[in-house]
Amino acid sequence: MSDAPRDIDHLIELMAKLPGLGPRSARRAVLHLIKKRGLLLNPLADAMHAVAVSARECLNCGNIGTSDLCEICQSEKRANGEICVVEDVADLWAMERSQVFKGRYHVLGGTLSALDAVGPEDLRIPKLVDRVISEEVKEVILALNATIDGQTTAHYLAEQFEGSDVQVTSLAQGVPIGGELDYLDDGTISAALKARKSV
Amino acid sequence: MSDAPRDIDHLIELMAKLPGLGPRSARRAVLHLIKKRGLLLNPLADAMHAVAVSARECLNCGNIGTSDLCEICQSEKRANGEICVVEDVADLWAMERSQVFKGRYHVLGGTLSALDAVGPEDLRIPKLVDRVISEEVKEVILALNATIDGQTTAHYLAEQFEGSDVQVTSLAQGVPIGGELDYLDDGTISAALKARKSV
Ligand SMILES: [Zn+2]
Ligand SMILES: [Zn+2]
């Protein structure tokens, strides 16, 4: 593949499996790592081992943490009656960076998709319905991507809470059509959260 | 940085130092790694440790191998009187993938640059001059990038061997102006090597 020694070739092949890296950028990255052995290669290997050992998916919300319940689900402060529903953990991190949401999260792990045959049971939707009751949630804030599947999922979720006292809102102003949450700057996310409206 | 647990944040910070990955793609890559813990995260950490232990810079040519002399410098078959001079190891790999060059290499480790104050002593140029004598080299093939600094370096190297019996040639046809070797397809490299001309 690169005519490098076998160890190095193997590393290049694995690196090329990362999203955003092709074979060429994987080769460049590995050469960079070898040049920065002490500063980057060894620390990176150690950091990967540490994360492999410590990372856990939160059993309650789907966030990534270091125990069965993530820090946000452990914090009583965050139990303010609001749950923000996101598609994946990267979106949760994007919301947290905006520092404007004080409640808890629920990570769906994707969106409903007829094309990919993703139904409610494939996401964490039943768990969300349970949590709304057990955590006495007053408002479910949908922070889903402004894609067709994201909006289909939003409508489905709104239907689940119809006729109940739970208010379902969604991020409004500022999320561009077809835009993905994780690409937005923090200010845009803040504005969208503050201007949220009923679905 | 990502509002992830500290271990994960640390891994994201290190990943973001790789060429071609910014903070956002580093976050995506780390989430992907956590999802593929057994298939990708653990193997990648192991592969990095293995390379950190095994990778060596060849003392003769500057190639990356697993011993003080790389496989190409160890092979008597490759001592055919030709040395191909490249800027970095990625370019050596690109040449090897084209499978058309049968001699040995010399990795300069960069190009001469007035702007960046890179002089001949900062590259492996004195070592190249030694090797031409000790390895009885008949032809030095310059496979440098078609950039201004690459071409300046080519002229400087050609001067070093003026008045000697050593022929200095350079890759000719097929290398586009401003183009970098490692971006070219194998066929282009083959054609350029076959059509090489005296400098
Ligand atoms: Zn949680
Ligand atoms: Zn060598």
Side-chain angles (χ1 to χ4, degrees):
Chain A
M1 176 173 165
S2 70
D3 282 281
R6 205 162 1 144
D7 273 1
I8 297 175
D9 243 358
H10 180 57
L11 178 55
I12 292 170
E13 276 171 39
L14 290 171
M15 290 290 285
K17 290 183 182 170
L18 289 176
L21 285 182
R24 182 178 184 279
S25 41
R27 288 195 296 266
R28 289 269 164 198
V30 167
L31 282 174
H32 184 76
L33 284 171
I34 292 171
K35 273 179 207 155
K36 308 254 173 186
R37 191 185 312 224
L39 228 63
L40 196 50
L41 180 53
N42 277 316
L44 200 49
D46 293 341
M48 283 183 178
H49 269 140
V51 167
V53 170
S54 71
R56 296 267 178 293
E57 195 170 81
C58 175
L59 296 176
N60 196 47
C61 77
N63 186 15
I64 302 283
T66 52
S67 54
D68 287 346
L69 265 190
C70 74
E71 279 186 33
I72 295 172
C73 286
Q74 278 179 41
S75 162
E76 273 309 313
K77 270 194 193 165
R78 305 289 299 243
N80 68 352
E82 295 177 7
I83 282 187
C84 176
V85 178
V86 291
E87 290 178 22
D88 61 33
V89 174
D91 295 332
L92 185 160
W93 289 348
M95 289 294 299
E96 284 291 283
R97 284 197 300 278
S98 81
Q99 294 186 312
V100 73
F101 179 66
K102 305 299 182 198
R104 286 184 177 156
Y105 291 94
H106 196 74
V107 180
L108 290 180
T111 48
L112 295 175
S113 168
L115 217 66
D116 299 327
V118 180
E121 303 292 326
D122 301 315
L123 305 176
R124 271 187 207 87
I125 292 178
K127 178 74 187 170
L128 174 62
V129 175
D130 291 349
R131 285 186 66 194
V132 165
I133 298 162
S134 64
E135 298 182 32
E136 297 177 4
V137 171
K138 308 272 179 296
E139 181 176 359
V140 172
I141 301 169
L142 305 177
L144 302 175
N145 292 326
T147 55
I148 291 174
D149 283 342
Q151 297 312 300
T152 304
T153 309
H155 286 298
Y156 178 86
L157 290 173
E159 277 172 18
Q160 304 312 300
F161 301 104
E162 252 172 26
S164 77
D165 290 341
V166 179
Q167 204 186 358
V168 180
T169 60
S170 73
L171 295 195
Q173 176 197 309
V175 182
I177 301 301
E180 292 194 77
L181 221 63
D182 190 29
Y183 279 94
L184 302 180
D185 62 291
D186 305 348
T188 306
I189 290 179
S190 295
L193 185 78
K194 281 179 192 146
R196 66 188 183 267
K197 58 172 180 32
S198 277
V199 175
Chain B
M1 177 173 164
S2 69
D3 284 282
R6 204 158 6 142
D7 273 1
I8 297 175
D9 243 358
H10 180 57
L11 178 56
I12 292 170
E13 276 171 37
L14 289 171
M15 291 290 285
K17 290 182 182 171
L18 290 175
L21 284 184
R24 181 177 185 280
S25 42
R27 288 194 297 266
R28 289 269 163 198
V30 167
L31 283 174
H32 185 75
L33 284 170
I34 292 171
K35 273 178 206 156
K36 308 253 173 186
R37 189 185 314 225
L39 227 62
L40 195 50
L41 180 53
N42 277 316
L44 199 48
D46 293 341
M48 284 183 178
H49 269 139
V51 167
V53 170
S54 70
R56 296 265 178 291
E57 196 170 80
C58 175
L59 296 177
N60 196 47
C61 77
N63 186 15
I64 301 283
T66 52
S67 53
D68 287 346
L69 265 191
C70 75
E71 280 186 33
I72 295 171
C73 287
Q74 278 179 41
S75 162
E76 273 310 312
K77 269 194 192 165
R78 305 291 297 245
N80 67 352
E82 295 177 6
I83 282 189
C84 176
V85 177
V86 291
E87 290 179 21
D88 61 32
V89 175
D91 295 332
L92 186 160
W93 289 348
M95 289 294 299
E96 284 292 282
R97 284 197 300 278
S98 81
Q99 294 186 313
V100 75
F101 179 67
K102 305 299 182 200
R104 287 183 177 157
Y105 291 94
H106 197 74
V107 180
L108 291 180
T111 48
L112 295 174
S113 167
L115 217 67
D116 299 328
V118 180
E121 303 293 326
D122 301 315
L123 304 177
R124 269 187 208 88
I125 291 179
K127 178 75 187 170
L128 173 64
V129 175
D130 291 349
R131 286 186 65 194
V132 164
I133 299 161
S134 65
E135 299 181 31
E136 296 176 4
V137 170
K138 308 274 180 296
E139 181 177 358
V140 171
I141 301 168
L142 305 177
L144 302 175
N145 292 326
T147 56
I148 290 173
D149 284 342
Q151 297 312 300
T152 304
T153 308
H155 285 298
Y156 178 87
L157 290 173
E159 277 172 18
Q160 303 313 299
F161 300 105
E162 251 171 29
S164 78
D165 289 341
V166 180
Q167 203 185 359
V168 180
T169 59
S170 71
L171 295 195
Q173 176 196 307
V175 181
I177 302 300
E180 292 195 76
L181 222 64
D182 190 30
Y183 279 94
L184 301 180
D185 62 291
D186 305 350
T188 306
I189 289 179
S190 294
L193 185 78
K194 281 178 193 147
R196 66 187 182 269
K197 58 174 178 33
S198 276
V199 175

